[in-house]
Amino acid sequence: MSTIYYHIEKKQWYQCEEENGLFFGKTNTMIPYVGSCPEHSLPFPVNNDGNHVGPIIGILTGNSRDNTFLGNLKVLKRILLSLHEHGALGVIITPHSIRGQIMEAFTFYQPLNKWIKLQSPLPNVVYNRIPYRHMEEKKDFIDIVSFFKMNEIPFFNPHFFSKWEVYQILKKNDFVKRFLPETTLLKNLRDLKKMVTKHQILYIKSSTGYKGIDLYRLKVQQNGMIVETPHGKHSYSTFTSFWEKNQGDFTKSNYLIQEAIEADTYDGKRYDLRILCHYRDNGHLISGIGVRVAGENGVTTHVPNGGSIIPYQFVGDRFDEVILQKLVFEIGRTLMDETGEFIGEFSIDLGRSKNGAIFIYEINSKPMVFDEVDIHQKGLENLTKLLIMEASKA
């Protein structure tokens, strides 16, 4: 380990160990030697490899109006502290941070228990934590991603997934496709009627939705249909009346129709698994498995919409973990092969039918923060190791 120092007022880095200089960041920026450490400088212990120290790991999040950044501060702080504990310099950046070969960045400085602003050389790797999908559609995000690629800075997790694009990609994998519920794009009333003739219960979901938002469950009955959402239940006498009421939403963005699985239950309620996955060495592995149980309305298992949490051990004997790990490996490999991007982490929402069949509901590129302490900790450990590993390759 080496110690480097940052002087906040002068916006300069120093070190007191190597007269010929230490180097860090993507461009091997030299940290000048000084005989004694300047006053009012903050020490940062970092890994060293010869005369190179770090790495610098940039965490990309959104711009804010006060020229700081947006994001889940608790999550960002947790990642930064883990990186610092492992000898890396973790910094928060936004699409507006780059100034030539310098970044205007932020980090959480544990000894002072506060956020600080600092200047840093370009990072060795960038981890995408942009919080909202619409931010990834803006020109400043597109421009900074192009900048990273042009400067050969690895960009970890390129963007939010589209459910429809992921479905089309995974259908190309012969092993994975047998675990996919039948799914199609909802373009018109004819698409809906066609799926209803094959499946008496359907889900309609936005291709870009999350946390159970924009989710409908349709159940056909003799005298019409029942439509359930996280907010309530409605009856319709005809498909046409349902379509006319919701056509505006369904046609302004991509919505999917997916066959509903007659799901296995725990304590009389439907449940599904949330599998957290990280890349390690030559493929993706499981970092943890959580379980979410549907609420009273039964439409979604998401906790903010009435779902609840039970330990995986309560239902773990119903799943073949060899199959689950094979699925994780194949999904990760297929997504990276087909997109040409490095996807370091993702999560899987997965269910089991009453007859024991496994079904993949969706894949998330930016996994939720797990409430389970063991998954939370293992996921952070694997993420930290992965970021440092990718930075060392750059």
Side-chain angles (χ1 to χ4, degrees), residues 27-72:
T27 54
N28 289 321
T29 300
M30 188 177 79
I31 308 171
Y33 173 82
V34 292
S36 61
C37 300
E39 292 183 1
H40 310 300
S41 294
L42 305 180
F44 288 82
V46 288
N47 294 324
N48 64 355
D49 180 10
N51 62 351
H52 288 81
V53 297
I56 300 174
I57 295 173
I59 302 174
L60 179 66
T61 187
N63 302 305
S64 72
R65 293 179 179 178
D66 62 358
N67 293 319
T68 56
F69 59 91
L70 295 174
N72 186 320

Side-chain angles (χ1 to χ4, degrees), residues 128-174:
N128 180 11
R129 289 291 305 190
I130 292 287
Y132 302 111
R133 189 181 295 269
H134 69 86
M135 288 183 170
E136 292 186 343
E137 298 170 354
K138 292 185 176 180
K139 184 177 184 299
D140 58 3
F141 174 81
I142 296 168
D143 287 346
I144 200 169
V145 172
S146 297
F147 176 86
F148 294 143
K149 291 184 176 181
M150 184 174 62
N151 286 273
E152 299 181 336
I153 298 172
F155 189 58
F156 180 114
N157 283 11
H159 49 71
F160 283 97
F161 290 156
S162 152
K163 293 180 178 64
W164 179 239
E165 290 175 4
V166 169
Y167 178 77
Q168 292 175 299
I169 287 172
L170 295 184
K171 276 182 66 178
K172 298 178 182 180
N173 183 301
D174 289 337

Side-chain angles (χ1 to χ4, degrees), residues 238-282:
T238 64
F239 295 119
T240 302
S241 60
F242 167 71
W243 176 259
E244 288 176 349
K245 181 176 180 181
N246 297 282
Q247 181 180 7
D249 290 332
F250 294 158
T251 54
K252 72 182 179 184
S253 63
N254 283 343
Y255 272 75
L256 311 181
I257 319 173
Q258 186 177 83
E259 69 167 300
I261 307 306
E262 190 176 1
D264 190 20
T265 60
Y266 177 82
D267 197 23
K269 297 178 181 177
R270 184 174 63 83
Y271 67 89
D272 55 40
L273 303 189
R274 305 294 167 82
I275 305 177
L276 179 62
C277 316
H278 287 95
Y279 187 87
R280 186 72 181 272
D281 299 327
N282 297 310

Side-chain angles (χ1 to χ4, degrees), residues 85-100:
E85 287 170 7
H86 287 79
L89 177 60
V91 295
I92 304 295
I93 59 175
T94 76
H96 294 172
S97 289
I98 306 297
R99 303 285 187 271

Side-chain angles (χ1 to χ4, degrees), residues 67-132:
N67 293 319
T68 56
F69 59 91
L70 295 174
N72 186 320
L73 293 184
K74 186 176 179 181
V75 171
L76 296 172
K77 175 181 170 182
R78 182 172 62 93
I79 297 170
L80 289 170
L81 291 178
S82 181
L83 290 170
H84 294 165
E85 287 170 7
H86 287 79
L89 177 60
V91 295
I92 304 295
I93 59 175
T94 76
H96 294 172
S97 289
I98 306 297
R99 303 285 187 271
Q101 299 296 302
I102 296 293
M103 301 188 302
E104 297 284 347
F106 299 86
T107 196
F108 187 82
Y109 193 68
Q110 181 67 40
L112 297 179
N113 195 35
K114 65 185 247 185
W115 291 90
I116 63 170
K117 189 172 183 179
L118 48 75
Q119 287 189 348
S120 160
L122 296 180
N124 299 94
V125 68
V126 174
Y127 173 39
N128 180 11
R129 289 291 305 190
I130 292 287
Y132 302 111

Side-chain angles (χ1 to χ4, degrees), residues 310-325:
I310 62 171
Y312 173 61
Q313 291 83 351
F314 286 12
V315 296
D317 59 357
R318 307 182 191 186
F319 294 88
D320 183 340
E321 292 191 12
V322 174
I323 295 294
L324 295 184
Q325 180 54 67

